[in-house]
Amino acid sequence: LRCGIAGPVVFNVDPLSGPYTEQLIMGEVQGTSATNTVTFNGNGRTIQFLSTNTNERAVIKLNGTDHFIFDSLTVVAQGTQTTEYGFGFHLTNGADSNIIRNSTININQTSTSSNYAGIVSSAGTTATATGTNESDWNVIDNNTINGGYYGITNVGSTTSAVGNNKITNNRVRDFYFYGIYLSGNFNTLVEANDISRPTRADVSTFYGVYLTSLNTSVKVSKNRMHNPFDGEPTATSTFAGVYLTSVDALSGLENVISNNAVYNVNGNGIQYGLYNSNSDNALYYFNTINLDNASTSTNDSYGFYQTGTATGIELKNNLITITRNTPGDKWLLYFATATSVITSDYNGFYK
């Protein structure tokens, strides 16, 4: 690979081999293209690594690397301490047109440190570092990601967005804080992901899909967010299915949140199905929000919550039910800022 390639290259990992204890850091490979790809067929084998270097946190790092495919690997970040680090994958510095698919990424499930994340695309060493990342046209598909502070992050900046990436069909499980985190995105697709915390006992706020800062033409669709506190059913941490904060999309480049399902939301904390804070031009269509699980908490429940001045919000054809038997209030729609411009119609409600 150091010499460049002149055709497609495939590495097949021996299905009886491993585990491989090593860190793979790839730079740019000359000659790669949409035709001349480099594929690692993992055959389910394991690559594992424990990092103590803050500048190299990932088991597999793509630094300006294009047209690589990782298929059917098991990737284990072995760090456990706050002085250690553990990303499964890290894409940065213009890593374009790569595919991570059919793989299992295992990250620490007890640490509360943000040093741990499943799949990261960011400009710096941290999982949410903003800047000139420019890692575009990547596909993250049909993976299982267990643990971490973040499941998946995709981060650019307000002046240099990451564009045309796809995060689809993944199972994001047992993260500490954020399932899928987006900042500085253009035309990103987040679709058909299953986001839950089935076993994690030490938990904080559950953000299923979290958008912050400038994001435009992002589509969050057909995702399922459920069972956030199975490992700690009496937790009082907050739940939010899809959460937008200060996401000022442009008119004509609206963000669309559609056909998502929020259900089996246990725990005793405040619950938000859809949350919008100061976020312009957000379109909420055909979502199903069920906040129906039993609770004795005095905390409130919100199907759709909007706060802060924002324009261009549409809420149409959604189904929202709240029958959570808590002493707290139940709000199907909550509009905290009278000056916000919100169009709401054709929704179905029950409580």
Side-chain angles (χ1 to χ4, degrees):
L1 293 178
R2 289 179 179 176
C3 300
I5 63 173
V9 175
V10 177
F11 295 98
N12 283 306
V13 180
D14 183 343
L16 301 179
S17 66
Y20 296 91
T21 303
E22 57 191 358
Q23 187 176 41
L24 175 61
I25 301 176
M26 295 298 308
E28 183 180 359
V29 174
Q30 296 297 320
T32 57
S33 67
T35 301
N36 296 342
T37 57
V38 177
T39 301
F40 289 86
N41 286 329
N43 288 307
R45 308 317 298 162
T46 297
I47 177 171
Q48 59 190 18
F49 187 75
L50 191 159
S51 172
T52 57
N53 181 354
T54 186
N55 295 315
E56 300 295 353
R57 302 184 176 195
V59 180
I60 298 175
K61 181 177 181 179
L62 303 182
N63 185 4
T65 315
D66 302 334
H67 301 291
F68 269 52
I69 301 170
F70 294 89
D71 192 307
S72 302
L73 278 171
T74 298
V75 180
V76 180
Q78 295 179 305
T80 60
Q81 307 299 317
T82 56
T83 55
E84 298 169 343
Y85 307 92
F87 297 171
F89 287 84
H90 187 190
L91 287 69
T92 190
N93 194 28
D96 297 333
S97 303
N98 301 290
I99 300 173
I100 303 168
R101 67 190 180 201
N102 305 325
S103 294
T104 300
I105 297 97
N106 293 325
I107 313 298
N108 184 278
Q109 295 186 35
T110 59
S111 175
T112 61
S113 169
S114 60
N115 293 343
Y116 297 95
I119 299 177
V120 169
S121 177
S122 72
T125 59
T126 67
T128 58
T130 59
T132 309
N133 179 12
E134 295 185 342
S135 295
D136 306 324
W137 300 101
N138 296 295
V139 175
I140 300 169
D141 182 68
N142 197 37
N143 303 286
T144 299
I145 300 163
N146 299 308
Y149 189 92
Y150 308 91
I152 299 172
T153 73
N154 199 45
V155 181
S157 73
T158 56
T159 57
S160 180
V162 287
N164 301 294
N165 295 292
K166 295 181 179 180
I167 302 170
T168 55
N169 302 300
N170 302 285
R171 293 155 298 283
V172 184
R173 298 173 175 169
D174 289 326
F175 52 92
Y176 179 66
F177 220 109
Y178 301 90
I180 298 175
Y181 180 106
L182 305 179
S183 177
N185 281 246
F186 170 73
N187 200 35
T188 295
L189 177 65
V190 179
E191 185 169 271
N193 301 284
D194 187 284
I195 305 169
S196 66
R197 288 195 297 214
T199 63
R200 182 157 185 154
D202 185 7
V203 294
S204 184
T205 298
F206 180 107
Y207 290 117
V209 181
Y210 182 97
L211 286 77
T212 186
S213 190
L214 181 63
N215 292 276
T216 56
S217 296
V218 172
K219 295 179 178 62
V220 179
S221 68
K222 303 177 185 177
N223 302 286
R224 293 178 290 168
M225 290 146 280
H226 60 96
N227 298 85
F229 301 109
D230 278 10
E232 192 177 349
T234 60
T236 57
S237 298
T238 298
F239 168 88
V242 181
Y243 190 102
L244 277 66
T245 178
S246 299
V247 183
D248 291 330
L250 306 175
S251 178
L253 298 173
E254 292 86 354
N255 296 313
V256 180
I257 299 92
S258 65
N259 296 97
N260 299 286
V262 174
Y263 60 96
N264 285 354
V265 182
N266 50 3
N268 292 324
I270 298 174
Q271 297 181 358
Y272 303 98
L274 303 170
Y275 187 103
N276 179 299
S277 174
N278 295 284
S279 298
D280 295 336
N281 296 308
L283 311 181
Y284 299 88
Y285 300 149
F286 298 101
N287 300 287
T288 299
I289 309 298
N290 297 122
L291 304 179
D292 297 334
N293 279 48
S295 172
T296 58
S297 169
T298 59
N299 286 308
D300 295 344
S301 307
Y302 303 88
F304 176 82
Y305 182 96
Q306 198 283 322
T307 187
T309 303
T311 62
I313 298 173
E314 292 188 4
L315 185 70
K316 296 182 178 181
N317 295 293
N318 301 282
L319 298 176
I320 301 176
T321 70
I322 305 177
T323 60
R324 186 186 186 204
N325 59 337
T326 167
D329 290 329
K330 304 173 184 66
W331 304 89
L332 295 161
L333 301 180
Y334 191 94
F335 301 154
T337 306
T339 54
S340 291
V341 180
I342 303 172
T343 301
S344 176
D345 209 349
Y346 308 111
N347 301 292
F349 303 116
Y350 180 80
K351 72 173 183 177

